[in-house]
Amino acid sequence: MPELPEVETVRRGLGVHLGGRRVVGVRGRPVQLRRPLDPEHLGQRVTGRRCLGIRRRGKYLLLDFEGGVLLGHLGMTGRFARCESGAPPAPHTHLVLELDDASELHFVDPRRFGFLTWLGEHGEATDPALAKLGLEPLGEDLVLALPELVRGRRAPIKALLLDQRLVAGIGNIYATEALWRAGIRPGRPGGRIARRRLEALAGAIRAVLAEAIEQGGTTLRDFARPDGGSGYFAIHLDAYGRQGEPCRRCESPLAHTVIAGRTTAWCRHCQR
DNA sequence: CCAGTATCCTGCAGGC
DNA sequence: TGCCTGCAGGATACTG
């Protein structure tokens, strides 16, 4: 569920709680996450170092420390929780960073699709996942770039939007929403969409991501509640999860198909 | 190179 | 009430 806006919200929350703090200890047991997590090894690298700030790239979080970067991904169910020192960890807590203000940052991830990895001084430039990421939908001119990115491609436009090598940060929810807003059928081959309509799609992507980030900002106070509140939020959704319900433009019931292995709700009437 | 599918994992909803 | 099945999906390995 965490897509670009949710990750951006987490980034801001981490900035408040972790930024400027020094790690004084690391706890956890080895566990197979998306990448293997070895808390003892990680502790040797990060203990004693101060967090200088947090960046985001696509759905990845880059926690800048003195002398290295801690790379994180939330997967489907990953979250960070700020806890008082010594507080009992929630189930599926895989890593605890003990901080110099008598607080702890817990990394919790029931489905283990996320990860935390120490990249070291120069790892950021060579990490294979980061290297493959496409452009930032909010940071560069997506309107100009999107038509070039999908030119000649026969895959469904929705599959292309989900491909992090083209555009980084879009997931199933915001791909579904942007296509509904732009009036484009999710299964339409990307290379067979008129330039003007792709430009409209790019605008819809930017708008829906920006609105979601704004929404997240208002719920930032909920960040990292140890009781399970994750800082995620439900923005106003027009299409995602609304199959069978009336389209908010034309009232006809939304259809439901699977594209790139993901459920997709869309309007047969006004998405062409 | 491109497109499509299987896989990892747990929690939860729905059916019977 | 309780068990079972299927679904949720981000990234990537794999197949054709």
Side-chain angles (χ1 to χ4, degrees):
Chain A
M1 217 112 57
E3 303 181 24
L4 187 153
E6 291 77 20
V7 177
E8 175 62 22
T9 300
V10 171
R11 185 192 73 78
R12 295 176 186 185
L14 284 176
V16 172
H17 296 299
L18 180 63
R21 299 270 63 82
R22 193 178 299 276
V23 175
V24 297
V26 173
R27 306 198 308 270
R29 303 169 65 88
V31 62
Q32 190 67 36
L33 303 180
R34 189 74 188 79
R35 301 184 186 187
L37 177 65
D38 181 349
E40 189 178 334
H41 179 260
L42 183 56
Q44 288 168 2
R45 307 295 168 129
V46 82
T47 299
R49 299 188 196 270
R50 197 164 61 91
C51 178
L52 305 173
I54 296 94
R55 289 173 293 146
R56 179 192 57 74
R57 178 82 174 90
K59 300 172 194 171
Y60 291 82
L61 287 163
L62 292 95
L63 285 55
D64 284 315
F65 283 87
E66 299 165 329
V69 173
L70 186 57
L71 179 67
H73 196 292
L74 300 174
M76 259 299 295
T77 55
R79 62 187 173 88
F80 288 98
R82 183 188 188 273
C83 300
E84 297 307 313
S85 179
H92 307 293
T93 297
H94 302 301
L95 194 77
V96 174
L97 297 179
E98 303 167 349
L99 306 181
D100 63 357
D101 63 350
S103 76
E104 295 174 353
L105 192 66
H106 293 201
F107 180 68
V108 187
D109 185 7
R111 289 183 209 174
R112 305 187 207 161
F113 284 6
F115 68 84
L116 278 176
T117 292
W118 180 256
L119 288 187
E121 196 92 53
H122 306 292
E124 183 183 341
T126 54
D127 187 84
L130 288 178
K132 290 180 200 150
L133 286 180
L135 62 83
E136 283 290 326
L138 295 176
E140 301 169 53
D141 198 345
L142 188 66
V143 175
L144 215 61
L146 191 60
E148 296 305 316
L149 288 172
V150 307
R151 165 178 281 166
R153 299 292 297 264
R154 283 184 290 264
I157 182 63
K158 187 175 175 216
L160 297 174
L161 292 183
L162 293 174
D163 187 341
Q164 304 299 299
R165 295 169 296 187
L166 301 184
V167 182
I170 303 172
N172 199 32
I173 294 175
Y174 296 109
T176 300
E177 290 297 303
L179 287 164
W180 182 87
R181 287 194 187 198
I184 295 171
R185 178 168 57 89
R188 178 177 285 274
R192 299 188 54 185
I193 302 172
R195 167 175 280 270
R196 293 187 61 141
R197 305 185 66 219
L198 287 172
E199 291 169 356
L201 176 58
I205 290 168
R206 295 189 63 118
V208 72
L209 294 179
E211 287 168 29
I213 288 172
E214 198 173 335
Q215 284 286 310
T218 66
T219 61
L220 193 55
R221 73 190 64 190
D222 294 334
F223 172 83
R225 282 181 309 192
D227 61 5
S230 59
Y232 305 152
F233 44 91
I235 67 153
H236 174 84
L237 297 173
D238 289 310
Y240 179 82
R242 294 194 69 239
Q243 49 268 30
E245 296 177 45
C247 173
R248 296 212 168 98
R249 265 194 307 255
C250 74
E251 302 294 315
S252 69
L254 295 185
H256 171 253
T257 53
V258 175
I259 294 171
R262 307 280 178 268
T263 63
T264 302
W266 60 287
C267 179
R268 292 184 187 279
H269 184 252
C270 56
Q271 284 179 262
R272 301 283 170 180

